[in-house]
Amino acid sequence: MTVTDPAGYPYEETHDLRSGPNLHESLLGLLPYVGVWRGTGKGGYPGIEDFDYAQEVRFSHDGRPFLAYEARSWIIDAEGRPIRPGARETGWWRVQSDEDTVEVLLAHPTGFVEVYVGSIDGLKVELSTDAVVRTATAKEVSANHRLYGIVEGDLLYAVDMAAMGHDLTPHMSARLKRIAG
Ligand code: HEM
């Protein structure tokens, strides 16, 4: 999709993997993540019922050394039918010029903003929260840890969360297939 801003400067926001003339070379390490991904996952946490969810994740870029990120999820029943909308998150993956480090900022409608620092190791990305800031009404989340990987062309991830008095404990994991890009 080509977007033109009010000053008339056209820029590309792309989900595809083609490298354009303006592609910042720091992006190369995370380029395999760029695209639209869909699939299902499983979640749970001490004190809540296990759940199944469907998810769509989008990574896109405009050539500069960061990825735009957006994820939406839906709680589903055992047959895969959606029951209700679930977690959403949106943010930025800032690739550093050493290409091995990534800083991630995520905002959640549930009242959290997270800052992660992570490392890129081939197709694997490991992220740990440096800070979690929450509104007065948000639940008590103190840290998160995320592992992402591309395995056999699929995007896999697992998230551990420290919240409500529990240390880092698995909260959700999923396997997503590339549907575009
Ligand atoms: C695919 C993403 C996610 C899904 C599908 C999901 C789903 C759920 C579900 C079903 C619950 C049980 C309560 C409820 O029904 O609302 C829950 C609880 C919770 N989730 Fe998530 N979640 C996701 C991501 C996250 C993230 C990224 C965070 C934090 C940044 C988070 C923080 C929490 C907290 C704090 C609770 C409450 C735990 C408690 O009350 O002990 N979740 N989640």
Side-chain angles (χ1 to χ4, degrees):
M1 175 175 62
T2 302
V3 185
T4 306
D5 81 7
Y9 179 77
Y11 61 93
E12 294 287 324
E13 177 78 4
T14 181
H15 293 107
D16 77 32
L17 294 171
R18 277 169 304 185
S19 49
N22 298 322
L23 187 80
H24 195 286
E25 62 182 30
S26 299
L27 276 176
L28 291 175
L30 284 182
L31 224 43
Y33 282 87
V34 172
V36 183
W37 306 82
R38 278 188 198 154
T40 56
K42 288 189 174 296
Y45 205 70
I48 68 170
E49 272 187 38
D50 289 352
F51 56 88
D52 295 304
Y53 65 97
Q55 192 173 40
E56 181 181 285
V57 168
R58 292 171 178 262
F59 285 100
S60 58
H61 69 82
D62 62 12
R64 289 179 286 173
F66 59 82
L67 301 180
Y69 167 87
E70 186 184 4
R72 301 180 64 179
S73 64
W74 294 263
I75 306 297
I76 56 174
D77 65 18
E79 280 74 51
R81 289 183 299 250
I83 299 171
R84 60 178 171 91
R88 298 180 69 162
E89 53 187 27
T90 180
W92 311 99
W93 288 45
R94 294 162 37 81
V95 193
Q96 302 307 295
S97 51
D98 63 10
E99 292 174 39
D100 294 334
T101 315
V102 59
E103 299 171 350
V104 176
L105 299 95
L106 294 182
H108 304 265
T110 40
F112 311 104
V113 176
E114 301 179 281
V115 175
Y116 289 88
V117 181
S119 55
I120 304 170
D121 177 10
L123 292 174
K124 196 179 106 183
V125 180
E126 181 165 10
L127 304 174
S128 295
T129 41
D130 197 26
V132 181
V133 179
R134 55 182 193 269
T135 65
T137 55
K139 288 200 172 169
E140 188 266 305
V141 175
S142 54
N144 276 316
H145 176 265
R146 298 182 176 219
L147 263 184
Y148 288 82
I150 293 181
V151 180
E152 297 158 351
D154 292 349
L155 174 57
L156 275 65
Y157 72 80
V159 178
D160 292 342
M161 173 171 77
M164 318 297 287
H166 302 284
D167 290 337
L168 284 172
T169 305
H171 185 39
M172 70 227 200
S173 59
R175 181 172 193 135
L176 311 177
K177 294 208 170 293
R178 180 190 292 285
I179 59 147

